[in-house]
């Protein structure tokens, strides 16, 4: 009985390790594909307007004004923005890493 439990534990451990490794590889590939977007200083909204990704922003949670990247954490409360609005038309641009 102990041997059977040992074999089942080893199989379960191997399967879980494989699944965790596979998920890490998929996430790494997603990040590699999206990495050019991370280093951009501007992007375009769905209507083609230019939107700066570095500048002065207001935190949606605490209202603090800060200068930096659009998706950087707020220095006041640490909140992360999930999207930025186009200043011209108001359409949202999602964080490329989410």
């Amino acid at each position: 009985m102990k041997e059977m439990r040992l074999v089942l534990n080893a199989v379960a451990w191997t399967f879980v390790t494989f699944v965790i490794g596979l998920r890490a590889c998929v996430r790494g590939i997603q990040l590699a594909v999206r990495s050019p977007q991370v280093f951009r200083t501007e992007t375009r909204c769905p209507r083609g307007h230019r939107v700066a990704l570095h500048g002065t922003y207001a935190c949606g949670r605490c209202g603090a004004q800060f200068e930096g990247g659009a998706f950087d954490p707020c220095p006041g409360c640490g909140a992360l923005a999930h999207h930025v609005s186009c200043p011209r038309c108001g359409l949202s641009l999602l964080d490329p890493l989410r």
Side-chain angles (χ1 to χ4, degrees):
M1 190 65 174
K2 283 185 178 182
E3 293 82 13
M4 185 62 124
R5 185 179 303 154
L6 180 65
V7 169
L8 288 176
N9 284 340
V11 168
W13 180 85
T14 303
F15 178 74
V16 170
T17 302
F18 175 76
V19 169
I20 291 172
L22 185 62
R23 289 177 63 192
C25 288
V26 167
R27 184 65 178 153
I29 290 169
Q30 288 174 341
L31 289 174
V33 167
R34 296 176 181 172
S35 65
Q37 296 174 356
V38 173
F39 300 108
R40 288 184 182 170
T41 57
E42 70 178 17
T43 188
R44 295 196 180 264
C45 77
R47 290 188 179 161
H49 306 129
R50 291 183 179 184
V51 179
L53 294 177
H54 294 283
T56 305
Y57 297 97
C59 176
R61 181 185 289 172
C62 69
Q65 296 283 331
F66 66 96
E67 185 175 8
F71 302 110
D72 289 348
C74 170
C77 66
L80 292 172
H82 297 286
H83 64 87
V84 174
S85 297
C86 173
R88 189 162 174 198
C89 65
L91 291 177
S92 294
L93 300 162
L94 296 177
D95 182 355
L97 294 180
R98 292 203 177 238

